[in-house]
Every structure is written in C-alpha cells, then in structure tokens.
C-alpha cells in the first residue's frame, strides 16, 4: 500500500451493513496487516448520539466469525477497536461534516502525514436516498487537503436507484461532485472467489476457448437461492423485490463474466468495456420468458402491505444478440425462502451428435461452478461404468475447494473489495455506463410488475419455487440432471 495516512470513514456506522459487513471486513484486513495502526484511522459517523466506546461495543460481537475466540483473537479485537473513533451528526448538516473533517485532520496531523499523502475513503453504508446530500457534504467539507498527492474516494452500495431514470438521476447527482475514478460502486458478488475466477477459467484454459459458444453450449443457468425469507427486512425488500435485489446486479454481473469477449488486457477499463458490450447486446425480455413467485407468508410481515405483489422469486431468460451467443438462453433464477441456499452457474452443453452409446437419457455434459456454499467446480461427463459390461454412467470431474485447498481461507467479498478501493483498483466495481445498461435491460419488466400487469404466483416456503419456473426452464432447453 502507498505511504501516508489513510482515514476510513464509515458513514451509517451504527447500521446493519456496517456492523455485519464493513467493520468485520476492516477487522480482517487489519489482522492481515493491511491496516497498520501507525497509518490508519477509522471513523464511524451516524446520527445516533453515542460515545466511541458505545460504538465499539456495538461492533465487537460481529468481528469474529467463528465461535470460540482465542485470547489472540480478543487481543486483536481490542487493538482494532482502539483505531475507531465516532463522530455523530446528521447526513445533511454542515456542522456534522465540519466536525468530522476536524477529527480526521487532527489524526492526520498526529500521525505526521506531512511525510506522506492523505487518503480518505468514505464508505457510505447508508440508504441511497441520502447519497446526494452526503456526497455534497463530503465534497464541500471533507476532501483530503495535502498537496502531497493522496485522494478522496467514495464507496457506495446498491440499490443504485429503482429503475433507469432514478439510477441516472442518482448517477448525475454524484457525478457532478466526484469523478468516476473516485466512485466505487460495490456489487459484492464481484468480490467472491469463484466469480473472480471466471476470467481465469475462461481465458487461461485451452479446454474452454473453442467450446464456449453457441455451437457447443445449449443453455446457461445462473441461480441464486436462499432458504430463508425476508424476515426483518420486509420493509426494504418490498420496495425492491428479487429482481432489483439480486438479478439486476449480482446475477447480471456473473452473466457478464460468463458471456463477455476476451478483454484486451486485465486493465479495469478493458474488462469493464467488454462487460458493457454484453449488456448492450441483451434483447428485451419477453413476458412469456418470465416466471415470478411470492412465497406464502411473505405478506404476514407487518412491514409488508397486505396486497403486495412484490416478487420474492423470479426466473427469466435473457438472450444475447451477438455472434457468440445468438440462440443460447441465459436463464437467471433467484428466490427467497426456497429449499436450499446456493449460488451456482450451470453451463449445459449440447447433446453429442450421432450418439452410439444411447446415453442421452443419463444427462448432458454440464459444467457447474458453485459460488457458494462450499466453493467448487465440476464437470458432469459420461464414462464407462467400471466392470465387464460396456455400459455408460454419468460421473464428475470435481474440484472442490475445501479438499483441494485445505487450510486456505477464502477471503470475504467485502474484505477484498475494500482492499481494492484502498489500492485504487476499479476492476471489480460497477462503472456508470455498466449500471445504466443493466437498468435498461430490466426497467420495462419492472415497470410492468410495479403496475400490476405481471403478478407473482404463490409458492410454498421451502419448495423449489412455482412450477411455472421449472416449465420455463424446460422450455428454454435445460435438461434436468441428476441431483439438481
Ligand atoms: C444482498 C441482498 O445484496 O445479497 C440480500 O440484498 C441477499 O437480499 C444477499 O441475502 C446475499 O448475499 P450472499 O453473499 O449471502 O449470497
């Protein structure tokens, strides 16, 4: 990391995101030596009037992931918490931000920043409604001030708007205050190990290069399932629904990495250029290629209106109009309160022409990348059943990370992404034109749902979702394989 003083300012410090994700990620970076007490200070900012110690007490319980903390763990926790200072203030009043700036500057001076640059990272763990005012306050009162270089960067979290228009408004408001190179839009799926592996897999392996196209691939599925509902955050969720919460961002980002052409280089702009091209090639989604669901009991949540038609489940087919993918359905599927918790990519290959083994019924070649839990990738393929008979069976070439990389801790997505923001690497962040293109794909569909023209079908919690979704899958050409 560069020399000089680094201030990390977590706005919305007493909220859920900060407690559950931001501070634990910072703690892990601290433990790995990336945040050195001599150079780094962390500030929490929120409206609640509490002391430094009260904030530390609120965070403490979230820092150690595994149960049974050792004494070394507790020591690290104490040292880390000492780095955190709290400033209270509102999100639109000058005084709060002036005070914040004063505190940051005080620490910069105390840590002798004259020897290096001052770097200020503002992490907005806040609802987007306050982004514009907070960004304005930062721009006016809290920018880094040394002449010796350094920077000010802003990290924002989805939801970035609710549709194309609101997203564009938000982008322009922030864009007037900060340069695109200062804005880091987090999609935490881009920080997941197996999502980051996609580029390597695709472009560093001869196996895949000639096969990755419409001549060989029949369909691609990108699936997100959770086995719990929206309890505790029904109020937020009901405003957005599963398409805005998961599909428009997390699954679409994965789709880009699966479908994009080879970038000119690994430079962030080259990679993001290719992702934008994929998004711009997606055709309008057809009503008869969408299946929506809402689980029974969703509306029992007191924060959800009794007549809500917000989908908690959706399956849809995206079609990419280009030379590589024409005719190959990309099936995106996401749901809450389903039978399992899993996120995976399933690339299903076409049947072997002139099948002399009559093994078609056993299933197709399929390449599965399991993002979570238990990161793995495996290829389903047909082999001879061991024994005297010449019969075939479907088996797997299996790379399970738990076995292959025993003892290796896979970093949390947020940890990686925060480190990237400190390093100034925007590869795994969403660029403004990418965001726009993503909203362009979904906005017409979302408006039809919002207007009640498309309604979700009920499904039982703990099920696979509505049957219509499986029918859509079959129609799109997906052949069920064993174990799916
Ligand atoms: C968030 C969504 O972005 O991702 C949540 O708002 C969802 O609804 C979460 O539960 C899933 O993240 P992960 O990393 O647990 O798959």
């Amino acid at each position: 990391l560069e020399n000089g003083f680094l201030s990390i300012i977590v706005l919305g410090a007493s909220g859920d995101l900060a407690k559950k994700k931001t501070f634990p990620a910072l703690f892990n970076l601290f433990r790995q030596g990336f945040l050195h007490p001599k150079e780094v200070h962390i500030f929490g900012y929120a409206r609640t009037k509490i002391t430094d110690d009260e904030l530390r007490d609120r965070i403490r319980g979230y820092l150690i992931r595994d149960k049974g903390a050792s004494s070394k763990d507790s020591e690290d926790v104490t040292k880390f918490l000492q780095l955190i200072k709290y400033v209270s203030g509102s999100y639109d009043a000058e005084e709060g931000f002036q005070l914040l700036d004063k505190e940051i500057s005080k620490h910069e001076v105390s840590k002798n920043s004259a020897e290096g640059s001052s770097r200020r990272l503002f992490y907005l763990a806040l609802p987007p409604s306050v982004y514009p005012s907070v960004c304005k306050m930062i721009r006016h009162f809290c920018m880094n001030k040394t002449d010796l270089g350094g920077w000010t960067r802003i990290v924002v979290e989805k939801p970035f708007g609710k549709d194309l228009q609101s997203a564009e408004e938000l982008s322009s408001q922030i864009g007037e205050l900060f340069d695109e190179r200062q804005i880091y839009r987090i999609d935490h799926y881009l920080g997941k190990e197996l999502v980051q592996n996609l580029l390597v897999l695709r472009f560093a392996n001869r196996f895949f290069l000639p096969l990755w196209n419409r001549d060989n691939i029949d369909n691609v599925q990108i699936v997100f399932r959770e086995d719990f509902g929206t309890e505790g955050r029904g109020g937020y969720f009901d405003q957005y629904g599963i398409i805005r919460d998961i599909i428009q961002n997390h699954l679409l980002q994965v789709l880009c990495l699966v479908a994009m052409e080879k970038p000119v280089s690994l430079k962030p702009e080259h990679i993001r250029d290719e992702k934008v091209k994929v998004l711009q090639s997606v055709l309008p989604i057809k009503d008869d290629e969408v299946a929506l669901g809402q689980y029974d009991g969703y509306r029992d949540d007191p924060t959800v209106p009794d007549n809500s038609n917000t989908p908690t489940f959706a399956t849809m087919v995206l079609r990419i109009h280009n030379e590589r993918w024409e005719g190959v359905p990309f099936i995106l599927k996401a749901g809450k309160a389903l039978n399992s918790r899993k996120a995976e990519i399933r690339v299903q290959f076409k049947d072997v022409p002139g099948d002399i083994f009559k093994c078609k019924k056993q299933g197709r070649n399929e390449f599965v990348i399991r993002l979570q839990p238990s990161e793995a990738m495996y290829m389903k393929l047909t082999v001879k059943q061991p024994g005297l008979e010449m019969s075939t069976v479907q088996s797997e070439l299996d790379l399970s990370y738990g076995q292959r990389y025993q003892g290796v801790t896979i970093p949390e997505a947020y940890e990686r992404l925060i480190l990237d923001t400190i390093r100034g690497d925007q590869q795994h962040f969403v660029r403004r034109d990418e965001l726009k293109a993503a909203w362009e794909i979904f906005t017409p569909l979302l408006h039809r749902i919002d207007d009640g023209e498309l309604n979700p079908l009920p499904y039982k919690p703990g099920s696979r979702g509505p049957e219509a979704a499986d029918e859509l899958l079959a129609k799109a050409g997906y052949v069920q394989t064993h174990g799916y």
Side-chain angles (χ1 to χ4, degrees):
L1 296 184
E2 303 159 52
N3 279 331
F5 189 69
L6 171 66
S7 305
I8 300 173
I9 304 103
V10 181
L11 298 124
S14 49
D16 243 30
L17 175 68
K19 277 191 307 205
K20 293 186 181 154
K21 300 287 182 192
T22 322
F23 285 116
L26 290 172
F27 175 61
N28 283 334
L29 291 175
F30 168 78
R31 293 187 97 183
Q32 292 165 76
F34 290 108
L35 306 178
H36 198 275
K38 274 197 189 140
E39 293 176 348
V40 179
H41 215 89
I42 301 170
F43 297 85
Y45 183 94
R47 281 177 304 200
T48 334
K49 288 203 164 39
I50 48 170
T51 62
D52 292 350
D53 278 338
E54 278 165 332
L55 177 70
R56 292 171 185 152
D57 287 344
R58 286 184 186 197
I59 299 168
R60 194 185 307 271
Y62 293 92
L63 297 181
I64 302 279
R65 262 191 263 164
D66 316 315
K67 292 192 184 84
S70 66
S71 61
K72 166 88 173 72
D73 289 339
S74 328
E75 221 175 89
D76 287 348
V77 167
T78 310
K79 281 191 203 148
F80 172 73
L81 290 174
Q82 282 315 309
L83 291 181
I84 303 178
K85 170 124 198 74
Y86 182 71
V87 179
S88 104
S90 78
Y91 296 119
D92 54 4
E94 301 184 2
E95 304 82 59
F97 286 86
Q98 281 167 337
L99 182 64
L100 179 62
D101 182 62
K102 222 164 98 187
E103 288 295 334
I104 303 172
S105 306
K106 206 160 83 189
H107 282 276
E108 283 174 345
V109 171
S110 77
K111 300 210 177 176
N112 208 3
S113 71
E115 285 174 13
S117 55
S118 121
R119 294 166 287 152
R120 296 186 175 190
L121 181 70
F122 290 88
Y123 193 111
L124 276 58
L126 291 168
S129 52
V130 297
Y131 288 174
S133 74
V134 167
C135 285
K136 210 181 272 171
M137 292 293 145
I138 297 171
R139 188 79 190 81
H140 293 317
F141 302 108
C142 299
M143 301 297 282
N144 74 310
K145 294 184 185 58
T146 55
D147 304 330
L148 296 152
W151 43 253
T152 301
R153 292 180 187 145
I154 305 287
V155 182
V156 284
E157 282 272 345
K158 76 165 183 57
F160 309 115
K162 286 194 75 179
D163 57 8
L164 179 59
Q165 195 195 342
S166 51
E168 275 294 279
E169 265 167 39
L170 190 61
S171 291
S172 340
Q173 283 168 330
I174 302 179
E176 279 165 21
L177 300 160
F178 292 97
D179 187 87
E180 184 65 24
R181 273 166 309 170
Q182 297 177 289
I183 305 169
Y184 288 71
R185 294 179 196 85
I186 283 203
D187 182 316
H188 79 281
Y189 265 59
L190 292 177
K192 290 189 188 276
E193 183 67 41
L194 265 66
V195 175
Q196 297 206 338
N197 191 31
L198 284 169
L199 282 192
V200 182
L201 258 185
R202 286 199 48 208
F203 301 117
N205 290 293
R206 187 75 198 213
F207 279 142
F208 296 116
L209 295 177
L211 293 182
W212 212 256
N213 54 43
R214 63 193 295 268
D215 300 333
N216 299 290
I217 292 176
D218 188 89
N219 61 78
V220 177
Q221 243 190 103
I222 303 171
V223 186
F224 166 95
R225 300 180 219 211
E226 267 177 351
D227 54 0
F228 47 90
T230 58
E231 299 86 0
R233 56 200 288 268
Y236 151 80
F237 188 86
D238 200 66
Q239 300 285 311
Y240 291 90
I242 198 77
I243 300 175
R244 293 181 176 98
D245 191 46
I246 304 288
I247 298 183
Q248 182 267 356
N249 32 71
H250 304 329
L251 299 196
L252 194 65
Q253 284 294 331
V254 173
L255 175 142
C256 285
L257 294 166
V258 171
M260 67 189 252
E261 296 300 316
K262 189 179 196 163
V264 175
S265 78
L266 288 178
K267 288 199 181 117
E269 297 324 324
H270 287 156
I271 293 173
R272 300 196 294 180
D273 287 347
E274 292 306 329
K275 286 165 73 188
V276 172
K277 285 187 208 160
V278 173
L279 295 172
Q280 289 173 338
S281 309
V282 173
L283 296 173
I285 302 168
K286 296 200 199 114
D287 281 2
D288 64 351
E289 294 202 312
V290 178
L292 304 174
Q294 186 188 75
Y295 67 85
D296 297 340
Y298 168 71
R299 299 181 198 176
D300 295 346
D301 184 327
T303 56
V304 171
D306 293 342
N307 60 353
S308 164
N309 77 332
T310 300
T312 59
F313 173 99
T315 298
M316 63 187 69
V317 179
L318 261 54
R319 297 189 177 267
I320 302 171
H321 181 66
N322 67 14
E323 203 175 316
R324 185 185 290 274
W325 294 120
E326 168 124 29
V328 180
F330 280 75
I331 305 153
L332 304 187
K333 175 167 160 182
K336 300 262 177 192
L338 296 178
N339 53 353
S340 61
R341 176 171 182 261
K342 206 185 256 187
E344 61 185 10
I345 306 163
R346 305 185 76 96
V347 180
Q348 192 167 75
F349 288 83
K350 290 185 190 289
D351 292 327
V352 172
D355 169 23
I356 53 173
F357 296 103
K358 314 227 171 342
C359 60
K360 197 170 153 185
K361 261 194 270 123
Q362 287 167 352
R364 286 170 158 174
N365 283 164
E366 196 167 0
F367 180 41
V368 184
I369 301 167
R370 189 162 65 228
L371 309 178
Q372 65 190 33
S374 317
E375 292 84 351
M377 51 187 115
Y378 54 93
M379 279 173 165
K380 284 182 170 273
L381 74 181
T382 301
V383 297
K384 179 184 166 301
Q385 169 80 56
L388 291 176
E389 305 302 326
M390 178 47 106
S391 57
T392 59
V393 66
Q394 199 173 54
S395 189
E396 281 121 37
L397 281 177
D398 186 357
L399 172 59
S400 290
Y401 276 40
Q403 280 171 15
R404 185 66 183 81
Y405 300 111
Q406 276 179 29
V408 176
T409 310
I410 295 182
E412 281 284 307
Y414 278 91
E415 215 172 300
R416 233 191 267 266
L417 295 175
I418 292 176
L419 190 60
D420 283 348
T421 60
I422 299 172
R423 289 175 166 161
D425 181 350
Q426 288 190 309
Q427 173 178 334
H428 304 294
F429 294 83
V430 182
R431 206 166 65 185
R432 180 174 171 174
D433 54 346
E434 211 177 328
L435 181 66
K436 178 166 182 254
W439 279 117
E440 271 164 356
I441 296 171
F442 293 100
T443 297
L445 172 66
L446 287 165
H447 283 173
R448 282 205 294 286
I449 299 171
D450 294 345
D451 295 344
E453 287 166 31
L454 284 177
N455 285 299
L457 298 163
Y459 64 93
K460 297 251 166 307
S463 69
R464 288 173 57 87
E467 272 171 28
D470 280 339
E471 287 160 17
L472 179 59
L473 268 186
K475 212 175 89 192
Y478 182 75
V479 178
Q480 294 283 344
T481 55
H482 182 68
Y484 177 66

